[in-house]
Structures are given as C-alpha cells and as structure tokens.
Amino acid sequence: VDLCYFSGTGNTALAAGRMAVEFGIRGIETNLRAIEDTDPATLYSSGTVGIACPAAAFTTYPLVWRFVRNLRPGNGKGAFLLVTMGGSTWGLVGPMRALVESKGYVPLGARRLVMPSNFMVKSLNEGFNAARREAALRKAAAFADDLCDGRASWRRIRGIPDLVAKHLGTDRPFAFMRKRLALSADPAVCNRCGLCAAKCPSSNIRMNDLPEYADRCELCMR
C-alpha cells in the first residue's frame, strides 16, 4: 500500500500511521508518503493507493485535489480514502470516488473519522479531545481490517456533492478566508527559527527577519 496523506496539525498523520500498523499486522507493507513531499506523476504503486486527508470547507484542501488529479493512471489498481473531519464532508467522499475512477482505479472503500477540530479553536478540552482521537484511531485500524477482508464500501451520492466539490474544491473559499484571517508574526514571540517556513505545505512562508507570507495559504493550521 502507498498511503499518501496530508495532515495539517497531525490528526490525519496519526490515523494513517494507525492504518499502516494494522496493515503490518496483516503482513502488508505500507509506504507512508506525505502528499506535499510526493510527486504524484512519478508515484508508481505496485499495489493499492490510499489517500488520507482532512475535511476542509465541506471538501478538502486544493493541494489534495491537485495531487489526486495528477496521479498516474490506476490501470485497475485499488484505491481507498480516509477522511478526518470535524464537520461536513458533502463535497469530498463521492466526488473523490468519481475522480479516482476516472483515473482508472477501483474504489475499495472510504471511511470518515471524527477528530477534534483544530480550526479557530478558542479553548481546548484535552481529555475530551484525547478520547475522541483514540476512538477515531480504533476506527482507522478497523477500516484497515475491513479493506483487507473486502468489507469496506465507498458510496457515492450524485448531484449536490458534485456541485459542492466543483465550487469549493478550489482555492476560492481559501482565498476568501485568507482575506479575513490574515497571517501575522508577533515579533515579541517569534524566535526567527524558520520552522514555519520549512513546514508550510504550500510554500506560503518565506523567512526574512520575520516570516513573510505570500497568497497561497490553505489554512491547514499547521
């Protein structure tokens, strides 16, 4: 399995890692690949391709859509989808199935996991979040088992989800939010280490004396 994941603050990475552990118990080798560090045009899988991503703006981040659109043809290989979510996924699960089918992959299954929200959180309940996260990780392991045993499914509802994906699975909602949630660095707190620039998945941050921001932020909260 080539399990390609995008993770903003870490929940999706944890879920993908738990699936990899479960596949390993079944004797299945899993290559965990960060989407922002993987060229989809050169990714050639001899087995199954997995996509793991968070829900965002009722769909997922533009960089995830771009990655899947640029995958090599599937030629009958299997594909599955793992989604971590704090809200709705109306424009993600069904439209993503349509996309992987159009690329020549066989949809094996999709699973949504409710994880703690990380977007504009004003307060944290660590105990509640830890319990929710652990429950989601158990479901990620169960999803891996279901895929291995042929019990998983990937349903598609046509119509409204496709319209949601068409209009929101782009940079438009993120450009709208960028104008209202502009990034800034507090010079009294920033230690000029450059870690934010190194870890930004959309190469939106450049270090000068303080971080400087371009107009490519996808609000992944990393």
Side-chain angles (χ1 to χ4, degrees):
V1 174
D2 280 299
L3 182 42
C4 306
Y5 68 93
F6 175 66
S7 192
T9 58
N11 286 331
T12 309
L14 288 173
R18 183 63 66 89
M19 289 193 74
V21 169
E22 198 65 23
F23 283 138
I25 293 171
R26 295 292 196 107
I28 298 170
E29 179 183 354
T30 302
N31 301 311
L32 286 170
R33 303 182 184 274
I35 280 177
E36 68 270 25
D37 297 328
T38 304
D39 182 355
T42 60
L43 176 67
Y44 185 79
S45 176
S46 60
T48 296
V49 172
I51 303 296
C53 62
F58 302 103
T59 171
T60 191
Y61 297 99
L63 65 88
V64 177
W65 285 112
R66 288 194 297 271
F67 180 84
V68 179
R69 289 191 188 102
N70 288 299
L71 283 173
R72 295 167 66 111
N75 297 322
K77 298 183 179 70
F80 64 85
L81 174 68
L82 178 72
V83 179
T84 58
M85 54 183 283
S88 172
T89 59
W90 258 102
L92 175 53
V93 176
M96 187 64 77
R97 171 178 170 148
L99 178 57
V100 299
E101 285 184 304
S102 74
K103 299 289 294 185
Y105 293 87
V106 176
L108 302 178
R111 190 67 50 89
R112 292 172 289 188
L113 309 177
V114 177
M115 282 280 200
S117 175
N118 291 312
F119 186 68
M120 297 183 68
V121 176
K122 294 182 179 180
S123 63
L124 293 174
N125 184 328
E126 293 293 355
F128 175 81
N129 285 350
R132 173 168 281 190
R133 190 176 295 111
E134 187 53 42
L137 294 178
R138 289 195 296 269
K139 291 179 180 178
F143 181 40
D145 287 334
D146 288 345
L147 287 166
C148 291
D149 295 335
R151 295 191 302 263
S153 63
W154 190 341
R155 297 179 180 178
R156 180 187 178 196
I157 300 174
R158 300 173 185 270
I160 292 177
D162 299 313
L163 290 173
V164 172
K166 179 179 179 180
H167 292 286
L168 298 182
T170 66
D171 189 56
R172 281 192 294 267
F174 300 93
F176 175 82
M177 289 187 283
R178 280 196 296 270
K179 293 179 180 179
R180 286 153 180 78
L181 300 169
L183 293 168
S184 63
D186 184 345
V189 177
C190 176
N191 66 3
R192 284 76 168 173
C193 70
L195 189 61
C196 59
K199 294 296 184 181
C200 176
S202 57
S203 300
N204 183 64
I205 306 173
R206 180 174 66 90
M207 287 301 299
N208 200 334
D209 177 47
L210 288 170
E212 295 180 349
Y213 306 100
D215 194 35
R216 295 187 296 273
C217 179
E218 297 190 10
L219 291 91
C220 72
M221 309 306 293
R222 183 180 292 179

